[in-house]
Amino acid sequence: MKPLTEHDIRTSFVNCSKGEAKRLPLPKNLTDLDHWDDLDFLGWFDLSAPDRRYLVVERADELVGLSLRSASGNRGFLRRSLCSLCLTTHPGSGVSLMTSPKAGPAGRAGNSVGLYICADLDCSLYVRGRKKAAPGGRMEESLTVEQQIERLRGNLDAFVERVFG
């Protein structure tokens, strides 16, 4: 992913108003982020509203920003869930159902789509081995890291397509 500016991020959102995009908090480490090449998307959460998450992805040479809501609820530590993007399993609340209002009139009518995603939005780092999941979180695969990255990007693209659909 190429480095993003505040303007890039704020103008990329497709499922919230311009006013909401102007007011949403930006990632705290945006200016210090040094691993852009390891990211398939930029994801962060609102420290003042822990159920709000944001995601910006490059898609067909344009940026698409999505406002997400994570489902609340604590799960037991022994229960494990699988991220639908990177296929990493996490114990407890490490994976969350995140819903996104659809873009355009469908979203304004209240329609949304959802996906189980790593709660910390660090899918790109898990796939590349730059961040370690809890024991048993990344299963050994016959796919290369490059193929796993392509799968993650495909899963992400399918989710973004559902937001537009």
Side-chain angles (χ1 to χ4, degrees), residues 19-93:
E20 289 171 318
K22 185 177 180 180
R23 291 185 302 273
L24 65 84
L26 294 176
K28 297 293 180 206
N29 64 345
L30 182 62
T31 55
D32 300 330
L33 200 59
D34 62 354
H35 60 274
W36 289 100
D37 290 341
D38 290 332
L39 297 179
D40 300 295
F41 63 89
L42 177 64
W44 72 100
F45 55 94
D46 186 340
L47 293 174
S48 64
D51 65 329
R52 290 186 187 167
R53 311 288 163 109
Y54 306 98
L55 183 138
V56 177
V57 62
E58 291 176 323
R59 187 168 183 256
D61 294 330
E62 70 175 338
L63 291 175
V64 175
L66 300 176
S67 172
L68 307 166
R69 295 275 178 155
S70 65
S72 60
N74 294 330
R75 297 186 204 174
F77 186 76
L78 295 177
R79 183 176 183 134
R80 299 185 70 84
S81 299
L82 178 72
C83 173
S84 299
L85 292 180
C86 65
L87 304 185
T88 300
T89 60
H90 295 278
S93 58

Side-chain angles (χ1 to χ4, degrees), residues 117-163:
I117 304 175
C118 293
D120 60 9
L121 298 171
D122 282 338
C123 300
S124 299
L125 302 180
Y126 290 122
V127 167
R128 288 168 173 81
R130 297 212 2 131
K131 187 171 184 180
K132 298 292 180 197
R138 293 287 305 161
M139 297 188 208
E140 192 170 326
E141 295 191 58
S142 59
L143 298 177
T144 66
V145 172
E146 290 76 21
Q147 290 169 322
Q148 293 176 47
I149 291 168
E150 284 304 310
R151 180 182 60 204
L152 183 152
R153 290 177 179 165
N155 293 341
L156 182 59
D157 190 55
F159 178 64
V160 172
E161 189 63 34
R162 288 178 49 213
V163 171

